[in-house]
Amino acid sequence: MLKSFVEVEPENPFNFYALALEFIEFDQDSASFLFKKLLEEFPDYLPTYFHAAAFFTDLGELEFSKKIYEKGIQLSESQKDEKALKELKNSFQNFLFENDLY
């Protein structure tokens, strides 16, 4: 059903986001493609950043994940989204600590 939403409303980032979340567990190539598409084509869609950073961390793409966290933090500051900012900063600190990137 989500695939049909993407086809009907390709301008709506939520449809790609929801589909990427569905693919995380069983089709990492598709999830990767969709997260990268969201980051490139819908860079202001803030929900992408938290899940994309965690996803690429799990794949071992630490430098890419770091950039995603940093961009998401900047975006949440510019959008004045305090909840997203707090979540991203906390996750980023855990990411840095767990991966010895301080």
Side-chain angles (χ1 to χ4, degrees), residues 39 49 52-53 56 64-73:
L39 293 167
Y49 290 85
F56 288 109
F64 188 45
S65 295
K66 185 174 187 258
K67 289 177 185 174
I68 295 169
Y69 275 120
E70 291 168 342
K71 176 115 171 45
I73 289 168

Side-chain angles (χ1 to χ4, degrees), residues 8-98:
V8 173
E9 285 187 300
E11 72 286 349
N12 185 345
F14 176 78
N15 295 327
F16 293 102
Y17 172 74
L19 193 55
L21 294 179
E22 289 296 318
F23 280 134
I24 285 175
E25 294 299 320
F26 67 91
D27 188 348
Q28 292 181 335
D29 290 338
S30 293
S32 177
F33 171 80
L34 290 167
F35 278 130
K36 287 177 181 177
K37 179 179 184 67
L38 283 159
L39 293 167
E40 290 175 21
E41 296 180 23
F42 303 97
D44 292 335
Y45 190 67
L46 189 54
T48 302
Y49 290 85
F50 180 85
H51 291 286
F55 173 76
F56 288 109
T57 298
D58 289 344
L59 293 183
E61 296 184 32
L62 301 183
E63 282 303 313
F64 188 45
S65 295
K66 185 174 187 258
K67 289 177 185 174
I68 295 169
Y69 275 120
E70 291 168 342
K71 176 115 171 45
I73 289 168
Q74 289 175 340
L75 183 62
S76 62
E77 288 173 338
S78 71
Q79 291 184 1
K80 298 181 179 15
D81 188 326
E82 294 298 322
K83 183 175 186 265
L85 178 61
K86 183 178 178 180
E87 289 176 356
L88 283 163
K89 280 186 171 183
N90 286 339
S91 293
F92 186 48
Q93 290 303 311
N94 289 336
F95 163 81
L96 293 172
F97 178 75
E98 291 170 3

